[in-house]
Amino acid sequence: MDDIRGEVSFGLEEVNEVLAGLVGVHAERRKRDAEIVGYRLGIGGEGPETLARIGARFDLARDRVRQLHTRAVGQMLREAALIGGREAEVFAGRYPVDGRDSALVRALLVETYATDTDLAANELSYLKLRLAGHAPEDAKRIAGYVMQRIMAWQKKTNRQLAKLRDAEPAAATEIGEWAARIEWPAGSPAPLPTTSARTVDGDDEGRGRFYLDKVGRDVGFDSALQARLLRTLNAADTVETFQEHPIAVRYDIDGSERVHYPSVAARFTDGRVALIDVQPLGHVAFHVNRAKSAAARSRAHAEGWGWLVWTGSRLDLPELTRREVDARRANGLAELVERGPVPWREVRRLREESGLELLDFAALVLRNEWRWDRGPFRLTRS
């Protein structure tokens, strides 16, 4: 997949919203365990975190984090069975119990790639299948197939793809498209860092690694989407070198300070440096990612670096913001926002009545500077 735009849909986002709702219900009983599940699965819209990083948050060993996560998921499944209703229908329709293993594996792999959630692919796949009604042994088997495919790809990438140079023409084209999108500040750039700022889990066993000849070393990545970006930089003749996770950026969400490690900084052959962050197209309008991007952009420009959000699609952030939306759909959503916080069921109803697409929704959020939270869903005026 060279463009994830076709996989951005209300169907997939509804799956994620239901998962977020279940985590929210569990938080009423076991707040810490629910937070662990949320961080691991990327429920709030950010990427999944490694067990090591979650352990650092709560001062727990990674094996203890794994135990708490497994226990919480089991309890969530029991709670979901009691709730039933539309939640069960959402999953059963997307991951049917009578579906072929190959079709289910492909669907789950596509979702994993489009949402940048490789780190938690096994846990997410298992949970989705169980909520759809699959027996535990079947869900475990299919989720295992998903992980086998991901691990096989990582192994193949490490042995073969990093050494191929036939990606250069495509890389040159893609880099050329990026150049027009990078926000360049005035002034001379600060030197490119030579080490990763991400130290807690930089060598986590869940991350993939491949050798890239441009930097002459193994480079870690969390997902196939991130690996695609790194391979493109490695093959592009206009890029001199790069450093993954070069800086730590602090940002604020409702008074709580967080830390983000932007994906990569690249130095071009003309001496300019750009900070590039991977954010899948369907997630760029989330409030948490917009706050994160604002802080990273400010830091990049303070360093004299350019700034780019890489969406995994030819549709970039400015183009998405300018996207034309049918007036009926736009006015319908604006009226809902004016009345107060909009629940997910109202967005679903508007979609059913007007054909509102998720990219339409994201474009309106960005253009009007509304606040879109997930986990639980909440759409409000800024």
Side-chain angles (χ1 to χ4, degrees):
M1 294 172 59
D2 62 356
D3 196 324
I4 66 173
R5 179 175 180 171
E7 304 306 323
V8 178
S9 68
F10 261 111
L12 178 54
E13 188 54 33
E14 182 149 33
V15 164
N16 295 324
E17 286 297 343
V18 173
L19 287 175
L22 293 174
V23 172
V25 169
H26 191 67
E28 296 174 3
R29 298 178 57 247
R30 293 182 178 272
K31 186 174 184 295
R32 185 188 65 173
D33 289 6
E35 289 179 344
I36 287 173
V37 173
Y39 288 129
R40 180 58 177 166
L41 303 184
I43 290 297
E46 297 180 273
E49 293 190 3
T50 62
L51 298 175
R53 189 171 179 187
I54 297 171
R57 283 181 180 273
F58 295 97
D59 194 22
L60 297 169
R62 56 177 293 143
D63 285 344
R64 181 56 177 160
V65 173
R66 192 192 308 274
Q67 291 172 357
L68 293 173
H69 179 272
T70 301
R71 183 182 72 180
V73 167
Q75 292 171 340
M76 284 171 52
L77 288 170
R78 288 190 289 274
E79 292 163 357
L82 295 175
I83 296 173
R86 181 173 178 82
E87 286 76 9
E89 294 177 6
V90 167
F91 289 91
R94 196 168 180 91
Y95 319 104
V97 173
D98 59 354
R100 294 170 61 91
D101 282 7
S102 57
L104 291 168
V105 169
R106 184 185 184 284
L108 291 164
L109 280 169
V110 169
E111 291 178 4
T112 298
Y113 182 71
T115 57
D116 202 37
T117 51
D118 301 44
L119 278 177
N122 185 64
E123 295 97 320
L124 272 169
S125 298
Y126 177 81
L127 183 54
K128 290 174 179 178
L129 293 165
R130 291 286 285 117
L131 289 169
H134 290 261
E137 59 273 16
D138 292 335
K140 185 176 181 180
R141 183 188 72 253
I142 296 169
Y145 291 157
V146 171
M147 284 308 301
Q148 285 174 15
R149 291 284 297 275
I150 291 174
M151 293 174 68
W153 175 85
Q154 290 179 349
K155 190 174 182 180
K156 180 180 179 182
T157 298
N158 189 40
R159 289 182 176 179
Q160 299 175 14
L161 296 185
K163 299 178 181 179
L164 296 179
R165 304 303 296 181
D166 58 4
E168 288 183 356
T173 300
E174 192 162 3
I175 289 291
E177 293 175 353
W178 295 356
R181 301 174 180 176
I182 296 174
E183 299 179 51
W184 296 106
S188 301
L192 182 72
T194 56
T195 58
S196 172
R198 179 173 166 174
T199 56
V200 171
D201 58 354
D203 59 350
D204 191 274
E205 63 183 22
R207 305 184 69 215
R209 305 190 72 80
F210 52 14
Y211 178 85
L212 294 177
D213 55 6
K214 184 161 286 184
V215 293
R217 56 180 169 81
D218 281 349
V219 177
F221 57 88
D222 291 346
S223 67
L225 200 60
Q226 294 177 26
R228 178 181 146 203
L229 171 63
L230 291 167
R231 286 205 314 271
T232 302
L233 294 173
N234 188 68
D237 57 8
T238 56
V239 174
E240 180 182 329
T241 188
F242 53 86
Q243 173 61 56
E244 68 280 13
H245 306 298
I247 56 174
V249 175
R250 300 187 182 278
Y251 64 104
D252 180 90
I253 296 291
D254 298 329
S256 174
E257 187 179 74
R258 303 186 186 185
V259 179
H260 173 57
Y261 302 93
S263 304
V264 63
R267 185 169 69 229
F268 291 77
T269 52
D270 62 6
R272 294 184 298 177
V273 175
L275 186 64
I276 305 170
D277 200 30
V278 174
Q279 289 185 24
L281 181 62
H283 294 182
V284 293
F286 292 148
H287 174 67
V288 64
N289 288 333
R290 291 166 64 195
K292 189 165 57 178
S293 291
R297 177 181 180 273
S298 177
R299 174 69 182 279
H301 287 183
E303 299 284 348
W305 300 345
W307 166 249
L308 176 70
V309 172
W310 190 76
T311 66
S313 170
R314 291 183 177 86
L315 181 64
D316 65 354
L317 198 54
E319 188 178 354
L320 175 60
T321 304
R322 296 191 300 268
R323 177 184 172 92
E324 291 187 14
V325 181
D326 178 82
R328 181 189 174 198
R329 299 170 184 171
N331 293 337
L333 189 58
E335 290 174 4
L336 291 176
V337 174
E338 286 300 316
R339 295 177 197 164
V342 183
W344 182 252
R345 66 177 180 274
E346 288 297 320
V347 176
R348 186 195 309 126
R349 179 185 60 79
L350 181 62
R351 174 205 174 195
E352 293 169 351
E353 293 177 353
S354 68
L356 180 73
E357 298 178 4
L358 191 64
L359 288 178
D360 294 336
F361 181 85
L364 293 170
V365 169
L366 292 169
R367 193 149 62 233
N368 292 285
E369 298 187 345
W370 294 332
R371 174 168 174 164
W372 176 12
D373 291 292
R374 188 216 274 171
F377 174 87
R378 193 167 181 261
L379 179 65
T380 57
R381 291 166 54 181
S382 296

